[in-house]
Amino acid sequence: MRPSGRKLNELRPVTIETGVTRHAEGSCLIRMGDTHVLCTASLEDRVPPFLKNTGLGWVTAEYGMLPRATHSRMQREAKRGQSGRTQEIQRLIGRSLRAGLDRVALGERQITIDCDVIQADGGTRCASITGGWVALRLAVNKLMKAREVLTDPLVDPVAAVSCGIYAGQPVLDLDYPEDSEAGTDGNFVMTGSGKLIEVQMSAEGATFSRDQMVQLLDLAERGVAGLVAAQHEAVGA
Amino acid sequence: MRPSGRKLNELRPVTIETGVTRHAEGSCLIRMGDTHVLCTASLEDRVPPFLKNTGLGWVTAEYGMLPRATHSRMQREAKRGQSGRTQEIQRLIGRSLRAGLDRVALGERQITIDCDVIQADGGTRCASITGGWVALRLAVNKLMKAREVLTDPLVDPVAAVSCGIYAGQPVLDLDYPEDSEAGTDGNFVMTGSGKLIEVQMSAEGATFSRDQMVQLLDLAERGVAGLVAAQHEAVGA
Amino acid sequence: MRPSGRKLNELRPVTIETGVTRHAEGSCLIRMGDTHVLCTASLEDRVPPFLKNTGLGWVTAEYGMLPRATHSRMQREAKRGQSGRTQEIQRLIGRSLRAGLDRVALGERQITIDCDVIQADGGTRCASITGGWVALRLAVNKLMKAREVLTDPLVDPVAAVSCGIYAGQPVLDLDYPEDSEAGTDGNFVMTGSGKLIEVQMSAEGATFSRDQMVQLLDLAERGVAGLVAAQHEAVGA
Amino acid sequence: MRPSGRKLNELRPVTIETGVTRHAEGSCLIRMGDTHVLCTASLEDRVPPFLKNTGLGWVTAEYGMLPRATHSRMQREAKRGQSGRTQEIQRLIGRSLRAGLDRVALGERQITIDCDVIQADGGTRCASITGGWVALRLAVNKLMKAREVLTDPLVDPVAAVSCGIYAGQPVLDLDYPEDSEAGTDGNFVMTGSGKLIEVQMSAEGATFSRDQMVQLLDLAERGVAGLVAAQHEAVGA
Amino acid sequence: MRPSGRKLNELRPVTIETGVTRHAEGSCLIRMGDTHVLCTASLEDRVPPFLKNTGLGWVTAEYGMLPRATHSRMQREAKRGQSGRTQEIQRLIGRSLRAGLDRVALGERQITIDCDVIQADGGTRCASITGGWVALRLAVNKLMKAREVLTDPLVDPVAAVSCGIYAGQPVLDLDYPEDSEAGTDGNFVMTGSGKLIEVQMSAEGATFSRDQMVQLLDLAERGVAGLVAAQHEAVGA
Amino acid sequence: MRPSGRKLNELRPVTIETGVTRHAEGSCLIRMGDTHVLCTASLEDRVPPFLKNTGLGWVTAEYGMLPRATHSRMQREAKRGQSGRTQEIQRLIGRSLRAGLDRVALGERQITIDCDVIQADGGTRCASITGGWVALRLAVNKLMKAREVLTDPLVDPVAAVSCGIYAGQPVLDLDYPEDSEAGTDGNFVMTGSGKLIEVQMSAEGATFSRDQMVQLLDLAERGVAGLVAAQHEAVGA
């Protein structure tokens, strides 16, 4: 019944390839089906002004799409400026990754996660969070190996998945053909231990019930468990 | 236990004054405690390009804050451009109001809802949605009275409220002192008949459980019911 | 003969309501007929760079219009940037208020006056100056009461009114229907003691004579006297 | 008593050299003492949208300063955008030139006057108006010679001069050393037949009286008469 | 003597992987050593305004760098706008690819080449041209296969390489450590048949002689021959 | 055969008038035929951040065109921002002038060269370099005369000329009618002693051979020699 032939509760094939760029302190290319996102973690000296001399660290994120990541070419944001959608997504990624962060343990340094969508087929913000955490993990591993950070500041993995009501059925991990048809969909950000970080459910020109909300949450828990397993495998933990 | 002395499940005093500006097709000043938002509905000839010659109508929203609506003065967005936060909020307002809209019944016209925060004390986006619907209702009433629209395109009222975990307890309708302390909070947009339109729950530097999610949802249902009653009273329905 | 039925030398009804917003150090809502402007005064630590370590204070102003303050909706300046007209007006307001200011007495602090037009019916820049002075007066009163400022830095009230040649006759305090027809109009900023601060007379596609200039000046003196009386009443002086 | 040794009512030496650039339909380099402005008139097919199919013409103006026209180098506006001051000045120039224009006689075409300050020593906006009218006159002459315009649309010359209170005395045509000291100054735009188009009198941190206003106006009439004579000589009329 | 151990006239290892993104009409990932650029060709309906109804086609290019393509993270251009360097490079890429294009044969359609640098180690603009031509070739092949284009509009392959004077010696294909030390360097764009399209030689704080210019040109011819061979292999021609 | 009747290897008449603006530390108006560029040198206290406390000086350049320098009026860059072409040109001018500069001898100060095109007829970037060097020379002379700089930091004059293939023939110093027809053209920046600083040869929709490249270089050497003679005459050396 799904265009891809997947079962209702089935994730797309997920692969996370690490060490894909030589300059970044951490990097991976995450593929969720045909959605491919390059995630890099950059360690930077500076922290935002409000954190100066607090001893606390910061993780922030930026998000972009290559112009031809999509079916028809989009205008380059470097030419027209960042859209509201882009800013909304990068705020979500940063907030999500900070939920799993011990800022005291990180110490007064900033790590910037760049998520650049090479190819898009739905779910790019979720893939960015899942892959972004892997890049962050690798950068923190480097800091710990160099004994610049002594206590692990990453207390729990963070991953995200989308779910939605497609053709009247709750389905896991929407691809673009499903996403463009679904009246209701949601993004769920969770930790490896099953805690919730962010829930965004939204109906475009429609509504949804409490029951549907719970059904989607059930699917999301299952999906995130699969993604966290893929993260563990990627970082060798 | 709440700074305001309110009960855990108690809304702030809500008043909705209509007809507050003479040019707009619909307008109201909504006050939720010390949060005051001026909402206007402007009927416009044009529809967005993707709706031309479709016969379908559109509702969109813009959001702003006066520079001294807040405790310390903020820079004017006309000087620095709209922030990501502002764009995120106005996209939410528009999406929420369209969920209760029959676009065929409205016909090929656009109504723009402007929500300008005169004074802020937390929950400005929710007050904007609740007040924005009243302005929209009044503008549509005018169209129906003039028999330019024959079937009511507003199928169900739309209102919104925030809830959060404050000092370990789920509380309804956060004011600013609560909002700035709450680790988890959420915005719930619902219809008058209790359907969900948008759920945004978010933890900054924290996580939340499924149980807490359900508790907040319970509070939100109660709060929205009170807001819908205030809307009905304001529009005389 | 005037669309409003007013006499040639008659102001619109003026009301100035103070204390309309809880955060600002001074605030008022000035209504000149159907022109309504919310004015706030914000005390700020910083002074402009050219005043650092001079011991001199500064008053500056910003001006905006809500998108639906006007008959048909205008585009939001936060989206398109401030127009030349807006910048011209806010420079005028700041310059006018500084003319009545003893910068030594104020000391090295800045007060920013925000004038936001809630509803427009002509004469918004003049109402902004008249109301802006009230907000400034209230903020300075607070500083003096706290004995942070010992000598009153506001040496003379400042108010403004427009006049023009409408249907061949000099008239006081143009409303929008008059303003849009008048070939010649002017804005006059004066002090409570009758001194001139700024005179801007302008003819669009027309010219005017010295005699007409003097007639408008006579009207302006009368109008400003009425506005200064309203200011006194508002600030309880 | 004036730094330049001029009499109180004496203009700076004025020269207007025409035909200084080969591409423009009309051009001149106006020198008022050490203030040098290059003015060009460009005939363009298009009119602003609000004039389409009305048969009416339009004159508009733009103003700029070369970065090192001033004593110390200013940042280039192409890099930082046009300042509020620049926009205010170019609106004034356009409005002034339109006051002497018969828009029906011009027909549905636009002439853009560019005023670029090569060297600044006070009074650049007035020199721009005076020189801008010469460029406009020459462009219109070309249209009339080609019989594209049959009735002269320039009904009266337009010129402008500044006056101010310097060291307690009313003086004509302020140069930069005077302008930077004057508490009160004004710009007067007039026609060749002595009618007023625009009066802008302003006091920075000071006030002025009606008597002073009249004295400055007297000086301005004398000054404009001299400038109109220079315009006539330049255009060979 | 070269940091990489390469001979003076030796290219870095070049690989061109095609079909790397599913949406674009043509795509490749070109690797010149550690410089990796993703090139996509997007077929678009519209042509620039100056080509409407001429029957002529157009090829244009855009260029970007992921923020962490470089040793230390650069600010994202979507946030700060395109730099002058970026604009200069994308103009060069477009101009170079058009030199090998028969615009009549292409017909009135536009192909946009996006070159996004995934990892940078010197020579990114040259790699973009070489890889960009491959993406263009693949997109044109598709048009020809569909018989939308009947005569091959790509008359000659286009490739580019940099050369420079490093440590006093002319060397081929500078990597970043060489590029940052070289006083003189150049970019040479040539066709497969050895014609020159663009020569850009530049000395930063130094000069060069005619002899050196000729030596670099000799190296460039050799280098481009190698790159054209790699292009042929990639497109299977 | 050339539209102007010039010989193939003949420069346009060149005049360089110095001291044309009173504020700048050095200035000239260079005329190459109908191309007229005003060049000023501004001495500034600050150096770019990367040079602070290095003892090294800096020369940078900015470039602009008056809107009606061209045949039809161009939009003012202060309104739309600097184009890629403008940025490319000003980077070239700065790089070229720095090639002839001893940054140690200049000491930690910056000189900004502004090149503003008053009238354009092809070759504006070359005229800007040639005239810019004269303005720089005059400003440095002033510093040396004041004994603020003791060793001459300008080791060799810098001048530039364009050449191209017009109607199949290599010609020197293209004017606009030639430039708009030439398939291949180039800009050559050289020193007074015949060393090369920058070579930019480019074919739009065409290619060129090594032989043609050498022919254009021969012409350029001849042209630059003439320009350097004009520079010497202008600065009285």
Side-chain angles (χ1 to χ4, degrees):
Chain A
M1 164 229 131
R2 302 180 72 173
S4 60
R6 278 188 281 152
K7 283 179 285 179
L8 299 182
N9 65 1
E10 187 181 349
L11 285 175
R12 291 177 282 184
V14 181
T15 66
I16 305 178
E17 185 185 344
T18 59
V20 293
T21 172
R22 67 188 291 231
H23 298 304
E25 280 72 27
S27 72
C28 74
L29 175 63
I30 183 169
R31 291 187 185 89
M32 294 189 66
D34 278 327
T35 289
H36 302 174
V37 185
L38 182 64
C39 305
T40 59
S42 296
L43 181 64
E44 294 177 299
D45 291 339
R46 59 190 181 77
V47 285
F50 65 90
L51 286 182
K52 277 207 178 130
N53 304 317
T54 61
L56 298 175
W58 193 245
V59 168
T60 187
E62 296 193 2
Y63 170 92
M65 258 201 197
L66 297 194
R68 195 57 195 282
T70 43
H71 193 267
S72 54
R73 187 177 181 273
M74 296 179 313
Q75 221 192 323
R76 190 173 285 266
E77 290 204 325
K79 287 186 94 166
R80 60 174 167 135
Q82 287 186 312
S83 69
R85 179 186 170 277
T86 291
Q87 292 182 61
E88 189 173 329
I89 291 174
Q90 63 195 12
R91 283 154 53 92
L92 169 65
I93 302 171
R95 214 160 54 224
S96 296
L97 295 178
R98 283 194 298 276
L101 177 72
D102 178 342
R103 288 158 64 192
V104 175
L106 180 58
E108 200 168 317
R109 46 177 64 85
Q110 172 168 295
I111 299 177
T112 299
I113 306 299
D114 284 289
C115 302
D116 285 276
V117 180
I118 304 294
Q119 188 175 279
D121 186 40
T124 63
R125 78 187 70 188
C126 290
S128 295
I129 291 169
T130 306
W133 187 84
V134 169
L136 176 60
R137 174 75 271 173
L138 294 171
V140 168
N141 285 354
K142 206 174 227 176
L143 281 170
M144 294 188 72
K145 203 168 165 190
R147 305 198 62 74
E148 295 185 54
V149 164
L150 300 179
T151 310
D152 189 356
L154 299 181
V155 292
D156 209 356
V158 175
V161 77
S162 74
C163 306
I165 311 291
Y166 172 75
Q169 298 272 23
V171 299
L172 175 64
D173 190 19
L174 304 169
D175 53 29
Y176 180 74
E178 291 167 336
D179 189 41
S180 55
E181 293 294 320
T184 296
D185 65 354
N187 296 296
F188 299 82
V189 187
M190 301 176 72
T191 66
S193 58
K195 303 241 179 65
L196 291 158
I197 293 172
E198 184 111 9
V199 172
Q200 292 188 337
M201 300 189 62
S202 179
E204 179 70 40
T207 58
F208 57 98
S209 67
R210 280 184 74 136
D211 278 0
Q212 288 175 316
M213 180 170 165
V214 168
Q215 288 172 320
L216 295 188
L217 189 53
D218 287 339
L219 282 176
E221 286 187 348
R222 181 187 165 98
V224 166
L227 294 169
V228 169
Q231 288 177 324
H232 278 178
E233 193 178 341
V235 301
Chain B
M1 163 227 132
R2 302 180 73 173
S4 59
R6 277 188 282 151
K7 282 180 288 180
L8 299 182
N9 65 1
E10 188 181 349
L11 284 176
R12 291 177 282 184
V14 181
T15 66
I16 304 177
E17 186 185 344
T18 60
V20 293
T21 173
R22 68 189 291 232
H23 300 303
E25 281 72 28
S27 71
C28 74
L29 176 62
I30 182 168
R31 292 187 186 87
M32 295 189 66
D34 279 326
T35 289
H36 302 174
V37 185
L38 182 64
C39 304
T40 59
S42 296
L43 182 63
E44 295 177 299
D45 291 341
R46 58 190 182 77
V47 284
F50 66 89
L51 287 182
K52 276 203 179 135
N53 304 318
T54 61
L56 298 175
W58 192 245
V59 169
T60 185
E62 295 193 4
Y63 170 92
M65 258 200 197
L66 297 194
R68 196 56 196 281
T70 44
H71 193 266
S72 54
R73 187 177 183 273
M74 295 180 313
Q75 220 193 323
R76 191 174 282 267
E77 290 204 325
K79 286 185 93 166
R80 59 172 168 138
Q82 288 186 312
S83 69
R85 178 186 171 276
T86 291
Q87 292 182 62
E88 188 173 330
I89 291 175
Q90 64 195 10
R91 283 155 52 92
L92 168 65
I93 303 170
R95 213 160 54 222
S96 297
L97 296 177
R98 284 193 297 275
L101 176 74
D102 177 343
R103 288 158 63 192
V104 175
L106 180 57
E108 199 168 317
R109 48 177 63 85
Q110 173 168 294
I111 299 178
T112 299
I113 306 298
D114 284 289
C115 301
D116 285 276
V117 180
I118 303 295
Q119 187 175 279
D121 187 39
T124 63
R125 79 188 69 188
C126 291
S128 296
I129 291 167
T130 306
W133 186 83
V134 169
L136 175 61
R137 173 77 272 174
L138 295 170
V140 168
N141 286 354
K142 207 173 225 175
L143 282 170
M144 293 188 72
K145 204 169 164 190
R147 305 198 61 74
E148 295 185 55
V149 164
L150 301 179
T151 309
D152 189 356
L154 298 181
V155 291
D156 210 356
V158 174
V161 75
S162 75
C163 304
I165 310 290
Y166 172 74
Q169 296 272 23
V171 298
L172 175 64
D173 190 17
L174 304 169
D175 54 27
Y176 180 74
E178 291 168 336
D179 190 40
S180 56
E181 293 294 321
T184 296
D185 66 354
N187 296 296
F188 299 83
V189 188
M190 300 176 71
T191 67
S193 59
K195 301 241 180 66
L196 291 157
I197 293 173
E198 184 111 9
V199 172
Q200 293 188 337
M201 300 189 60
S202 179
E204 178 71 41
T207 57
F208 56 99
S209 67
R210 281 183 75 136
D211 277 359
Q212 289 175 316
M213 180 170 167
V214 169
Q215 289 172 320
L216 296 188
L217 189 53
D218 287 339
L219 284 176
E221 286 186 349
R222 181 186 164 97
V224 166
L227 294 169
V228 169
Q231 289 176 325
H232 278 178
E233 193 178 341
V235 302
Chain C
M1 165 228 130
R2 301 180 72 173
S4 60
R6 278 188 282 151
K7 284 181 287 181
L8 299 182
N9 64 2
E10 188 181 348
L11 285 175
R12 291 176 282 184
V14 181
T15 66
I16 305 177
E17 185 186 345
T18 59
V20 293
T21 173
R22 67 189 292 231
H23 299 303
E25 280 73 27
S27 71
C28 73
L29 175 62
I30 183 169
R31 292 189 185 85
M32 295 189 66
D34 279 327
T35 289
H36 302 173
V37 185
L38 182 64
C39 304
T40 59
S42 296
L43 181 65
E44 293 177 300
D45 293 339
R46 57 189 183 77
V47 285
F50 67 90
L51 287 182
K52 277 208 178 131
N53 304 317
T54 62
L56 298 174
W58 193 244
V59 168
T60 187
E62 296 193 4
Y63 169 93
M65 259 200 196
L66 297 195
R68 195 57 195 281
T70 44
H71 194 267
S72 54
R73 186 177 182 274
M74 297 179 313
Q75 220 193 321
R76 191 173 283 266
E77 290 204 325
K79 285 185 95 166
R80 61 173 167 137
Q82 287 186 312
S83 70
R85 179 185 170 276
T86 290
Q87 293 182 61
E88 189 172 329
I89 291 175
Q90 64 194 12
R91 282 156 51 93
L92 169 64
I93 301 170
R95 213 159 56 223
S96 298
L97 295 178
R98 284 193 298 274
L101 176 73
D102 178 342
R103 287 159 63 192
V104 175
L106 180 58
E108 199 167 317
R109 47 176 64 83
Q110 173 168 294
I111 299 177
T112 298
I113 306 298
D114 285 288
C115 301
D116 284 276
V117 180
I118 303 293
Q119 189 174 278
D121 187 39
T124 63
R125 77 188 72 187
C126 290
S128 295
I129 291 168
T130 306
W133 187 84
V134 169
L136 176 61
R137 173 76 272 173
L138 294 170
V140 168
N141 285 355
K142 206 173 227 176
L143 281 170
M144 294 188 72
K145 202 167 164 191
R147 305 197 64 73
E148 294 186 55
V149 163
L150 301 179
T151 310
D152 189 355
L154 299 181
V155 292
D156 209 356
V158 174
V161 77
S162 75
C163 304
I165 311 291
Y166 173 74
Q169 298 271 25
V171 299
L172 175 65
D173 190 17
L174 304 169
D175 55 26
Y176 181 75
E178 292 168 336
D179 190 41
S180 56
E181 293 294 320
T184 296
D185 66 355
N187 297 297
F188 299 81
V189 188
M190 300 177 71
T191 67
S193 58
K195 303 240 180 64
L196 290 157
I197 292 172
E198 183 110 9
V199 172
Q200 293 188 336
M201 300 189 60
S202 178
E204 178 70 40
T207 59
F208 57 98
S209 68
R210 280 184 74 137
D211 278 359
Q212 289 176 315
M213 180 170 166
V214 168
Q215 289 172 320
L216 295 188
L217 189 53
D218 287 340
L219 283 176
E221 286 186 348
R222 181 188 164 96
V224 166
L227 294 169
V228 169
Q231 288 177 325
H232 278 177
E233 193 178 339
V235 301
Chain D
M1 165 227 129
R2 301 180 72 174
S4 59
R6 279 188 281 152
K7 283 181 286 181
L8 298 182
N9 65 2
E10 188 181 348
L11 285 176
R12 290 176 284 183
V14 180
T15 65
I16 305 177
E17 185 185 344
T18 59
V20 293
T21 172
R22 68 189 292 232
H23 299 303
E25 280 72 28
S27 72
C28 74
L29 176 62
I30 182 168
R31 292 188 186 86
M32 296 189 65
D34 278 327
T35 289
H36 302 173
V37 185
L38 182 65
C39 305
T40 59
S42 296
L43 181 65
E44 294 177 299
D45 291 339
R46 58 191 181 78
V47 284
F50 66 90
L51 287 182
K52 278 208 177 130
N53 304 317
T54 60
L56 299 174
W58 193 245
V59 168
T60 187
E62 296 193 4
Y63 170 92
M65 259 201 196
L66 297 195
R68 195 56 196 281
T70 44
H71 193 266
S72 54
R73 186 177 182 273
M74 295 181 312
Q75 221 193 323
R76 190 173 284 267
E77 289 203 326
K79 286 184 93 167
R80 61 173 167 136
Q82 288 186 312
S83 69
R85 179 186 170 276
T86 291
Q87 292 182 61
E88 188 173 330
I89 291 174
Q90 64 195 10
R91 282 156 52 94
L92 168 64
I93 301 170
R95 213 160 56 224
S96 297
L97 296 177
R98 284 193 298 273
L101 176 74
D102 178 342
R103 287 158 63 191
V104 175
L106 179 58
E108 200 168 315
R109 47 176 65 84
Q110 173 168 292
I111 300 178
T112 298
I113 306 298
D114 285 289
C115 302
D116 285 276
V117 180
I118 302 294
Q119 190 175 278
D121 186 40
T124 63
R125 79 187 71 189
C126 290
S128 296
I129 291 168
T130 307
W133 186 84
V134 169
L136 176 60
R137 176 74 271 174
L138 294 171
V140 168
N141 285 355
K142 206 172 226 175
L143 282 170
M144 295 188 71
K145 203 168 165 191
R147 304 196 64 74
E148 294 185 55
V149 164
L150 301 178
T151 310
D152 189 355
L154 298 182
V155 292
D156 210 355
V158 174
V161 76
S162 74
C163 304
I165 312 290
Y166 173 75
Q169 297 272 22
V171 299
L172 175 64
D173 190 18
L174 303 169
D175 54 27
Y176 180 75
E178 292 169 335
D179 190 41
S180 55
E181 293 293 321
T184 296
D185 66 353
N187 297 297
F188 299 83
V189 188
M190 301 176 70
T191 67
S193 58
K195 302 241 181 63
L196 290 157
I197 292 172
E198 183 111 9
V199 172
Q200 293 188 337
M201 299 189 59
S202 179
E204 178 72 39
T207 58
F208 56 99
S209 68
R210 282 184 74 135
D211 278 359
Q212 289 176 315
M213 180 170 165
V214 168
Q215 288 172 322
L216 295 188
L217 189 53
D218 288 339
L219 283 176
E221 285 186 349
R222 181 188 164 97
V224 166
L227 294 169
V228 169
Q231 287 177 325
H232 279 178
E233 193 178 339
V235 302
Chain E
M1 166 226 128
R2 302 179 72 173
S4 59
R6 277 188 283 152
K7 283 180 285 179
L8 300 182
N9 64 2
E10 187 181 349
L11 286 175
R12 290 178 283 183
V14 182
T15 66
I16 305 176
E17 185 185 344
T18 59
V20 293
T21 172
R22 68 189 289 232
H23 299 304
E25 280 73 27
S27 72
C28 73
L29 175 62
I30 182 168
R31 292 187 185 87
M32 295 189 66
D34 278 326
T35 289
H36 303 173
V37 186
L38 182 64
C39 304
T40 59
S42 295
L43 181 64
E44 293 177 300
D45 290 341
R46 59 191 182 76
V47 285
F50 66 90
L51 287 182
K52 277 206 178 131
N53 304 318
T54 61
L56 298 175
W58 192 245
V59 168
T60 186
E62 295 193 3
Y63 170 93
M65 258 200 197
L66 297 194
R68 194 55 195 281
T70 44
H71 193 266
S72 54
R73 188 177 181 273
M74 297 180 312
Q75 222 193 322
R76 190 173 284 267
E77 289 204 325
K79 286 186 94 165
R80 60 174 168 138
Q82 287 186 312
S83 68
R85 178 184 170 277
T86 291
Q87 292 181 62
E88 189 173 328
I89 291 174
Q90 63 194 12
R91 283 155 52 92
L92 169 64
I93 302 170
R95 213 160 55 224
S96 296
L97 295 178
R98 285 193 298 275
L101 177 73
D102 178 342
R103 288 158 63 192
V104 175
L106 180 58
E108 200 168 318
R109 47 176 64 85
Q110 172 169 294
I111 299 177
T112 298
I113 305 298
D114 285 289
C115 302
D116 284 276
V117 179
I118 303 294
Q119 188 176 280
D121 186 40
T124 63
R125 77 187 70 189
C126 291
S128 296
I129 291 168
T130 306
W133 187 83
V134 169
L136 176 60
R137 174 75 271 174
L138 294 170
V140 168
N141 285 354
K142 207 173 226 176
L143 282 169
M144 294 187 71
K145 203 169 164 190
R147 304 197 62 74
E148 295 185 55
V149 164
L150 302 178
T151 310
D152 189 356
L154 299 181
V155 292
D156 210 355
V158 174
V161 77
S162 74
C163 305
I165 311 289
Y166 173 74
Q169 298 271 23
V171 299
L172 175 64
D173 190 17
L174 302 170
D175 54 27
Y176 181 74
E178 292 168 336
D179 190 39
S180 56
E181 293 294 321
T184 296
D185 66 353
N187 296 297
F188 299 83
V189 188
M190 301 176 71
T191 67
S193 59
K195 302 240 180 67
L196 290 157
I197 292 172
E198 184 110 10
V199 172
Q200 292 188 337
M201 299 188 62
S202 180
E204 179 70 40
T207 58
F208 55 99
S209 68
R210 281 183 74 136
D211 277 0
Q212 289 175 314
M213 179 170 167
V214 169
Q215 287 172 320
L216 295 188
L217 188 53
D218 287 340
L219 283 176
E221 286 187 349
R222 181 188 165 97
V224 166
L227 295 168
V228 169
Q231 289 177 324
H232 278 178
E233 193 178 340
V235 301
Chain F
M1 164 229 135
R2 301 179 72 173
S4 60
R6 278 188 282 151
K7 282 180 288 180
L8 299 182
N9 65 2
E10 189 181 348
L11 284 175
R12 290 177 284 183
V14 181
T15 66
I16 304 178
E17 186 185 344
T18 60
V20 293
T21 173
R22 68 188 292 232
H23 300 303
E25 280 72 28
S27 72
C28 74
L29 176 61
I30 183 168
R31 291 188 186 86
M32 294 190 65
D34 279 328
T35 289
H36 302 174
V37 185
L38 182 64
C39 305
T40 59
S42 295
L43 182 63
E44 293 177 300
D45 291 341
R46 58 189 182 78
V47 284
F50 66 90
L51 287 182
K52 277 206 179 130
N53 304 318
T54 61
L56 298 175
W58 193 245
V59 168
T60 185
E62 295 193 4
Y63 170 93
M65 260 200 195
L66 297 194
R68 195 56 194 282
T70 44
H71 193 266
S72 55
R73 186 177 183 275
M74 295 180 313
Q75 221 192 322
R76 190 173 285 267
E77 289 205 327
K79 286 185 93 166
R80 60 172 167 136
Q82 288 186 312
S83 69
R85 179 187 171 275
T86 291
Q87 293 182 61
E88 188 172 330
I89 291 175
Q90 64 195 11
R91 284 156 50 93
L92 168 65
I93 302 170
R95 213 161 54 223
S96 296
L97 296 178
R98 283 193 298 275
L101 176 74
D102 178 342
R103 289 159 63 191
V104 175
L106 180 57
E108 201 168 316
R109 47 177 64 84
Q110 173 168 294
I111 299 178
T112 298
I113 306 299
D114 284 289
C115 301
D116 284 277
V117 180
I118 303 294
Q119 189 176 278
D121 187 39
T124 63
R125 76 187 72 188
C126 290
S128 296
I129 291 168
T130 306
W133 186 83
V134 169
L136 175 61
R137 173 76 271 173
L138 294 171
V140 168
N141 285 354
K142 207 172 226 176
L143 280 171
M144 293 188 72
K145 204 169 164 189
R147 305 199 61 74
E148 295 186 53
V149 164
L150 301 179
T151 310
D152 189 355
L154 300 181
V155 292
D156 210 356
V158 174
V161 75
S162 75
C163 304
I165 311 290
Y166 172 75
Q169 297 272 21
V171 298
L172 176 64
D173 190 19
L174 304 170
D175 54 27
Y176 181 75
E178 291 168 337
D179 189 41
S180 56
E181 293 294 321
T184 296
D185 67 355
N187 296 298
F188 299 83
V189 188
M190 300 175 71
T191 67
S193 57
K195 302 240 179 66
L196 291 157
I197 293 172
E198 184 112 8
V199 172
Q200 293 188 336
M201 301 189 60
S202 178
E204 178 71 39
T207 57
F208 56 99
S209 67
R210 281 184 74 137
D211 277 0
Q212 287 175 316
M213 180 170 167
V214 168
Q215 287 173 320
L216 295 187
L217 188 54
D218 287 340
L219 283 175
E221 286 186 349
R222 181 188 165 98
V224 166
L227 294 169
V228 169
Q231 288 177 325
H232 278 178
E233 193 178 341
V235 301

